[in-house]
Amino acid sequence: AGMSTGQRVVTVQKGPLYRTEGSHITLWCKVSGYQGPSEQNFQWSIYLPSAPEREVQIVSTVDLSFPYAIYTQRVHGRGIYVERLQGDAVLLHITELQDRDAGEYECHTPNTDERYFGSYSAKMNLSVIADTLSASMAPQVLTRTEGEAVELTCEVSKSTAQHTHLSVGWYLLQGAGEHHIKEVLTLSKDFVLRPGPSYVQRFLAGSVRLNKVGNTTYRLSIEQVESSDQGQLYCEAAEWIEDPDKTWKDISRKQTGRTSLAIVSQGRDLLVNIAAAENSLSEGDTLRLNCMVGSQKTSSRQFQVLWLLNGVEVARVDPHGVLIWKEEYEERAKLGQLQAFKQSNTVYVLIIYEVGLKDNGMYHCSVSEVKTAGHFHSIQTNLSSGIQVNVKPIGYRLRLSVSTSTPQVMAGDALVLLCQVSGATGPVSVQWWHLPRQHTDPWVLVATMERDGTLSLGSAYQDSRTRGSLRLEKASSGAYTLVIPSTLDENDGGRYGCKATEWSRGQSWTEEGETAVTVSSMAGLGLHTTLRSRTATVRYGQSLELICQVNAGYTLEEVPVSVGWVFQPNPDTGHYTEVVRVSPSGTVAWGAMQPHFQGKAQLTKADTSFRLHIHNAVAADEGKYRCEVEVWRRNTLPLGQPAAVAKSNAVGIKVVLPESKLRVAKTDSSVEIAGGADIAIECRILFAPNNSQFAITWYLLRPPPADVTPLQILRTNYSSILEYGAEFSFPALKSRFLSQRVSSNVFWLRVLSANPGDQGRYYCVVEEWLWLVDGWYKLGEETSGKTTLEFKLPGEQRELQLEKTNGSVTAREGEEVTLQCLLQGVHLPATCFSATWFRQEESGQDRPLLSLHRDGAIEYPRENLMRRLQLRRPSAGDFSLTLLGVEEHDAGAYCCQVQEWQWQSQSEDWALQALARSDYTQLTTIPP
């Protein structure tokens, strides 16, 4: 039935979506057909692959306490938040996607209607994939004169399993900040070149180009540089994926290092530029500054360069390359912490190893052109623009978040806690602490991982007999996981804290975080469920009934109860899918399998038993069923988390097909023919029900030694659709091998103009198909007896002989080669010949390449070889095969077969008199 006016509908972004780890993602959700206020509220939850039936709450627009502990810190820190687009539409933001964020997301809208009518939630799947995109370019310092050319290459690669596209663009950075970035030229995801606004005319003129010159290499070419090209060039790659709604989304972006390009004008002006590979550093990093001099005829001119920090000289390099440090830098230079040198007459370098906070500031380089006549005489001086270098103390990037995938567990279940540490550049040590829920005592040490990986447990956790063997692992870079295999009681709940300490140069920096865990004991509730079925095996079209019996130490009618039915199809998928759930209010909510079960499943309740009745069982109903019961304490609204949950045993249901009664004739037979005749091979069904349909497949077993595996000739399915096997799919063979249904139980394989190459044993495989409830099903199959087809030569046979040839031939690729096939002796009058060339396949079977019929017609079973195979026939007894343009895969074993035919006046037809088959000739190919 369609939706009526006023029926609430919740719609979520269509999935599945694939997004890369570390990216910022959004998911939209909207509601329509609702009653009540125009501003609706939204709640987002996730069902993790490790527990697909358990809802984990993430964020709500109305309830600040809605997030589970695993998400609390990220929600409060705005790492996850909801953006309202309008009153009935929102966006869920996850600013830094983590691998554990993969799962099925549910958007729910709390009811504001007068009655429940419609859908109140919608789900979609999100998969988190590794970010495999890579972009790199060797950093350079280049100087060009106006009008000269420049070329830069960028290496871009990806190894994503999903189908994605790449876009690659080149950009020019002039000055500081994003507003100084100019797009040069981009190859879009649609393989279209798009120039930036400043480069349109030069792109159209062909002087700015972007070419892909290899599998991963992209080259930017600027034929005639201009002064406006000066700055820092870099390459940016983006990976795009097509979402189910047919829109393309960039899932990763990577930038390369920068190449500094200085442009020298045609005049004699002295141009000076300063550039840094990276100007935002941490203590201990290396700073490299390049001072580039742009002028004409630099080789004949001499320069003196001064390095300045905050306007104060650091060092100078004279025209002869002599380095002079200022006094306060001499000691660091002697220790190898500073280096300055002249790389060329146009490039001067300053390197500071292990930068410190004192190296913060604005750097300039000052260049003076000088004349040397016994002493330096300055002609002109130019000062570069400044570059700000920021050095931050070690530890400033250290960040920590603590979460758990087990925020609420029963006693005896495992606790899994995650401490995610990021931003550390030095070794890190981690400590886990626990503060029990009902105690005000100091925190108790659980476990420690030292910076060298050494593990130790707190005194209360060293006995593995109480909680099992605790595990503290570094699962990935910065991810520390603590697993407590078996919780004791409610006292194992409470707050768990993680303290991470980064160590460097005798200093340390510490970050702390915590998460909350609830451990419940159900000893006093005694909730149990048992599932049984009246029958474990049903036939197609029959009904089945499952009974869920609930036992508890209290009256179920006095507490809110929810009953859900879950199903694991056969074959085993590894997890259960919810079929239907009845809430405490009586609302029936169908799960993802609603289209299959709704309309054929019936729910009933009697006292403490709940029943699921399924009509017209089909194959898709086969699998394991389980019921799940949740109860809440009385007078608790809203319900929140259940006080107890019980899952029943699994009951396996098998849906069986009707038994096949098919019987096929299995008597072997043989057929002898003299050649050229048409034959019919019979496949007879002895018994089958009247309402069955049949699929007939014909097979051929070649004579020894090729009798290895049967060749499929053709197949006619139960809908009479004909399909030929790979070896018989060529037009010449399809025209000779035909399928015919003679009667309701007799099928023929007709072979027209049979020849010696058709010899072998033929048989059919009959499949019985029957329509059952929802489709066609195969009930069984039987194989017929074999019919042997032989060629009979006349009584007066004469021996046909072929000349012996070389057992092996070598040919160079690209050239031609002739494989010999020559008849010996004198040929009878009124005779003619037919011949076939074969190549031996890896399976040992001979596959025909070319056939010469007795009337001189040539047949090519493999049409793709027609232009390369020739029978030149310089004489009547010469059937040699010439192979043009030899290729590497032509190597193999070849042989020919020749038949002699004579006209029979009595029958007025040609009769096969003799045949001969050559030995194999091994063709070996060698490179050109």
Side-chain angles (χ1 to χ4, degrees):
M3 297 179 181
S4 61
T5 305
Q7 181 172 349
R8 177 182 288 256
V9 178
V10 176
T11 310
V12 73
Q13 187 166 347
K14 190 175 182 181
L17 297 182
Y18 295 91
R19 295 295 186 261
T20 53
E21 193 172 0
S23 62
H24 182 151
I25 73 153
T26 59
L27 304 175
W28 60 258
C29 179
K30 58 186 178 182
V31 60
S32 60
Y34 55 87
Q35 300 174 355
S38 60
E39 185 170 289
Q40 294 286 297
N41 283 307
F42 295 82
Q43 294 174 336
W44 286 89
S45 301
I46 186 174
Y47 296 82
L48 299 170
S50 58
E53 299 132 18
R54 184 172 64 196
E55 177 188 10
V56 180
Q57 298 174 178
I58 301 175
V59 65
S60 168
T61 59
V62 64
D63 184 2
L64 295 179
S65 64
F66 183 78
Y68 279 7
I70 187 175
Y71 286 106
T72 301
Q73 193 163 359
R74 294 171 70 187
V75 171
H76 291 170
R78 295 284 289 176
I80 299 177
Y81 63 94
V82 176
E83 176 190 0
R84 187 178 290 280
L85 302 177
Q86 54 190 48
D88 52 11
V90 297
L91 275 181
L92 172 68
H93 287 258
I94 302 179
T95 59
E96 187 173 351
L97 194 64
Q98 301 176 12
D99 181 63
R100 61 193 177 101
D101 293 328
E104 184 179 43
Y105 282 75
E106 180 180 45
C107 175
H108 174 75
T109 58
N111 183 38
T112 59
D113 308 332
E114 293 181 357
R115 62 191 179 100
Y116 282 90
F117 186 45
S119 67
Y120 290 81
S121 65
K123 296 180 178 180
M124 59 83 64
N125 278 294
L126 172 68
S127 294
V128 180
I129 58 178
D131 185 356
T132 65
L133 181 63
S134 170
S136 62
M137 178 179 67
Q140 302 179 73
V141 178
L142 302 177
T143 302
R144 294 289 187 272
T145 302
E146 287 181 334
E148 291 183 344
V150 67
E151 284 190 350
L152 299 174
T153 58
C154 174
E155 295 290 331
V156 178
S157 64
K158 65 180 178 71
S159 58
T160 309
Q162 288 70 31
H163 175 71
T164 58
H165 287 189
L166 288 177
S167 64
V168 179
W170 290 86
Y171 297 87
L172 176 64
L173 176 62
Q174 296 174 315
E178 292 186 0
H179 60 285
H180 292 291
I181 296 175
K182 295 199 301 186
E183 181 183 8
V184 179
L185 187 56
T186 297
L187 177 63
S188 74
K189 68 179 186 303
D190 305 314
F191 315 110
V192 176
L193 285 172
R194 296 194 177 96
S198 304
Y199 288 85
V200 173
Q201 295 302 320
R202 295 166 70 186
F203 168 74
L204 295 175
S207 61
V208 176
R209 301 187 305 276
L210 194 161
N211 296 314
K212 187 177 182 183
V213 294
N215 289 335
T216 61
T217 305
Y218 297 80
R219 181 170 63 204
L220 173 70
S221 302
I222 303 177
E223 287 189 353
Q224 296 179 329
V225 296
E226 301 175 359
S227 59
S228 60
D229 297 324
Q230 181 164 289
Q232 297 184 71
L233 287 161
Y234 65 91
C235 168
E236 180 178 274
E239 186 174 6
W240 301 77
I241 194 168
E242 187 176 21
D243 286 343
D245 62 3
K246 302 303 180 184
T247 63
W248 286 84
K249 170 64 180 173
D250 55 326
I251 58 175
S252 179
R253 286 185 176 271
K254 295 291 173 62
Q255 288 185 6
T256 67
R258 296 167 183 170
T259 288
S260 298
L261 176 62
I263 305 300
V264 180
S265 64
Q266 296 291 349
R268 194 176 170 81
D269 292 339
L270 185 64
L271 299 178
V272 180
N273 284 287
I274 188 171
E278 181 64 56
N279 65 337
S280 181
L281 308 166
S282 298
E283 281 186 287
D285 290 345
T286 298
L287 170 66
R288 180 188 175 107
L289 297 171
N290 293 310
C291 181
M292 295 162 290
V293 181
S295 66
Q296 289 185 310
K297 300 179 180 179
T298 54
S299 60
S300 61
R301 301 167 70 177
Q302 300 189 63
F303 305 103
Q304 176 174 267
V305 176
L306 274 66
W307 288 99
L308 307 171
L309 170 58
N310 296 326
V312 178
E313 182 178 339
V314 175
R316 66 174 62 201
V317 180
D318 73 12
H320 301 306
V322 176
L323 172 64
I324 303 172
W325 291 100
K326 295 302 286 183
E327 182 179 355
E328 55 268 36
Y329 293 95
E330 287 180 346
E331 185 64 27
R332 293 176 68 188
K334 290 177 182 178
L335 295 174
Q337 297 176 0
L338 303 177
Q339 187 179 9
F341 58 90
K342 176 180 178 179
Q343 180 173 305
S344 68
N345 206 34
T346 59
V347 179
Y348 297 80
V349 180
L350 172 64
I351 301 177
I352 304 178
Y353 301 99
E354 297 185 2
V355 295
L357 298 179
K358 57 182 174 294
D359 297 314
N360 269 315
M362 183 72 70
Y363 286 80
H364 293 83
C365 66
S366 174
V367 178
S368 300
E369 183 179 2
V370 299
K371 285 187 176 180
T372 56
H375 63 280
F376 296 137
H377 173 65
S378 176
I379 301 174
Q380 57 174 324
T381 300
N382 203 346
L383 183 68
S384 72
S385 57
I387 186 166
Q388 178 68 39
V389 173
N390 297 311
V391 181
K392 298 179 181 178
I394 293 178
Y396 82 97
R397 293 177 178 166
L398 190 63
R399 296 290 183 272
L400 180 145
S401 64
V402 183
S403 59
T404 176
S405 58
T406 54
Q408 292 185 326
V409 297
M410 300 294 177
D413 288 347
L415 283 182
V416 181
L417 303 159
L418 175 66
C419 184
Q420 185 71 47
V421 181
S422 61
T425 57
V428 174
S429 62
V430 171
Q431 288 184 332
W432 282 96
W433 299 80
H434 175 225
L435 182 64
R437 182 180 58 179
Q438 298 176 352
H439 296 274
T440 57
D441 296 338
W443 291 71
V444 178
L445 179 63
V446 179
T448 300
M449 177 181 285
E450 301 294 349
R451 15 176 186 172
D452 61 358
T454 304
L455 301 178
S456 61
L457 299 178
S459 58
Y461 294 85
Q462 293 178 358
D463 187 354
S464 61
R465 294 172 298 179
T466 56
R467 296 179 178 85
S469 299
L470 271 68
R471 300 196 307 273
L472 175 54
E473 302 169 343
K474 187 176 182 181
S476 62
S477 178
Y480 298 84
T481 303
L482 173 66
V483 179
I484 301 176
S486 179
T487 50
L488 287 179
D489 50 32
E490 294 98 324
N491 288 330
D492 277 348
R495 288 150 53 199
Y496 284 83
C498 174
K499 179 187 292 184
T501 304
E502 180 182 2
W503 304 82
S504 180
R505 298 192 188 91
Q507 301 181 66
S508 64
W509 294 263
T510 299
E511 284 287 329
E512 298 181 14
E514 63 181 59
T515 187
V517 170
T518 300
V519 179
S520 302
S521 174
M522 299 302 298
L525 297 177
L527 181 67
H528 304 282
T529 60
T530 304
L531 182 63
R532 58 187 174 89
S533 173
R534 296 188 184 278
T535 175
T537 302
V538 296
R539 293 195 177 276
Y540 265 71
Q542 293 183 345
S543 298
L544 64 96
E545 186 177 66
L546 297 162
I547 304 170
C548 180
Q549 183 66 47
V550 183
N551 299 307
Y554 43 86
T555 305
L556 285 178
E557 285 75 5
E558 296 180 356
V559 296
V561 178
S562 167
V563 178
W565 294 89
V566 295
F567 171 61
Q568 184 182 84
N570 187 26
D572 190 352
T573 60
H575 61 85
Y576 283 83
T577 302
E578 186 168 286
V579 176
V580 64
R581 181 168 294 277
V582 182
S583 71
S585 63
T587 302
V588 177
W590 291 92
M593 302 192 71
Q594 174 181 358
H596 176 72
F597 284 100
Q598 193 173 24
K600 63 178 291 180
Q602 180 181 359
L603 301 168
T604 58
K605 176 182 180 298
D607 298 325
T608 60
S609 67
F610 302 84
R611 303 190 180 204
L612 173 64
H613 191 90
I614 299 176
H615 302 275
N616 294 324
V618 295
D621 299 324
E622 182 172 308
K624 295 179 181 178
Y625 291 79
R626 203 173 68 195
C627 66
E628 298 179 354
V629 177
E630 297 176 332
V631 298
W632 286 262
R633 293 183 176 85
R634 285 171 291 184
N635 304 319
T636 55
L637 290 175
L639 291 175
Q641 291 302 301
V645 177
K647 298 180 180 180
S648 75
N649 57 296
V651 169
I653 298 295
K654 185 173 180 60
V655 181
V656 297
L657 294 167
E659 182 181 356
S660 174
K661 294 181 171 56
L662 176 69
R663 298 292 180 269
V664 175
K666 295 182 176 292
T667 304
D668 293 341
S669 62
S670 62
V671 177
E672 289 185 349
I673 60 174
D678 298 343
I679 63 168
I681 300 170
E682 183 181 276
C683 178
R684 180 177 294 272
I685 299 173
L686 301 179
F687 180 80
N690 293 332
N691 56 345
S692 295
Q693 297 293 330
F694 307 102
I696 310 294
T697 307
W698 286 96
Y699 292 91
L700 167 61
L701 285 167
R702 298 277 192 197
D707 189 1
V708 181
T709 56
L711 299 176
Q712 181 180 322
I713 303 171
L714 57 82
R715 170 183 168 84
T716 307
N717 71 5
Y718 59 82
S719 300
S720 299
I721 297 175
L722 179 64
E723 179 183 4
Y724 281 84
E727 296 288 337
F728 291 81
S729 60
F730 306 103
L733 294 177
K734 291 167 70 172
S735 64
R736 293 200 306 111
F737 289 81
L738 307 175
S739 174
Q740 181 179 354
R741 184 168 189 172
V742 181
S743 65
S744 62
N745 65 328
V746 177
F747 299 81
W748 282 358
L749 173 67
R750 300 189 61 201
V751 184
L752 306 183
S753 301
N755 60 57
D758 299 331
Q759 294 183 102
R761 292 183 292 165
Y762 292 78
Y763 65 94
C764 69
V765 175
V766 181
E767 300 170 7
E768 182 185 10
W769 290 78
L770 189 65
W771 176 267
L772 297 169
V773 184
D774 63 338
W776 287 96
Y777 289 87
K778 177 181 172 182
L779 302 187
E781 69 174 38
E782 284 224 331
T783 301
S784 73
K786 295 177 174 59
T787 299
T788 303
L789 174 62
E790 297 176 324
F791 255 67
K792 180 181 179 182
L793 298 177
E796 297 182 2
Q797 300 181 17
R798 86 186 203 91
E799 187 174 359
L800 197 63
Q801 292 186 343
L802 296 173
E803 289 187 6
K804 293 291 184 180
T805 60
N806 291 333
S808 63
V809 175
T810 300
R812 193 175 298 278
E813 293 173 24
E815 299 179 357
E816 71 176 47
V817 64
T818 298
L819 307 177
Q820 301 294 330
C821 182
L822 302 172
L823 275 179
Q824 287 183 344
V826 180
H827 315 309
L828 295 175
T831 61
C832 61
F833 297 89
S834 62
T836 303
W837 272 94
F838 299 91
R839 178 183 174 185
Q840 190 177 57
E841 301 292 336
E842 292 181 359
S843 63
Q845 298 183 10
D846 290 338
R847 186 170 183 176
L849 300 175
L850 175 150
S851 294
L852 170 68
H853 297 290
R854 60 173 180 265
D855 60 358
I858 297 179
E859 176 184 347
Y860 294 87
R862 300 175 67 180
E863 294 181 356
N864 61 318
L865 295 177
M866 183 184 299
R867 297 182 61 182
R868 298 177 54 223
L869 299 178
Q870 291 187 1
L871 283 181
R872 294 175 176 169
R873 300 204 63 197
S875 65
D878 189 343
F879 302 94
S880 301
L881 175 67
T882 299
L883 180 58
L884 305 178
V886 172
E887 298 174 1
E888 181 182 3
H889 61 263
D890 290 331
Y894 295 76
C895 71
C896 70
Q897 179 174 291
V898 180
Q899 300 94 26
E900 184 180 31
W901 304 78
Q902 189 169 32
W903 178 259
Q904 304 293 318
S905 57
Q906 291 181 349
S907 61
E908 294 188 345
D909 196 4
W910 292 92
L912 181 66
Q913 293 296 114
L915 60 85
R917 188 180 182 97
S918 72
D919 294 330
Y920 285 101
T921 297
Q922 183 67 40
L923 174 61
T924 303
T925 63
I926 58 177

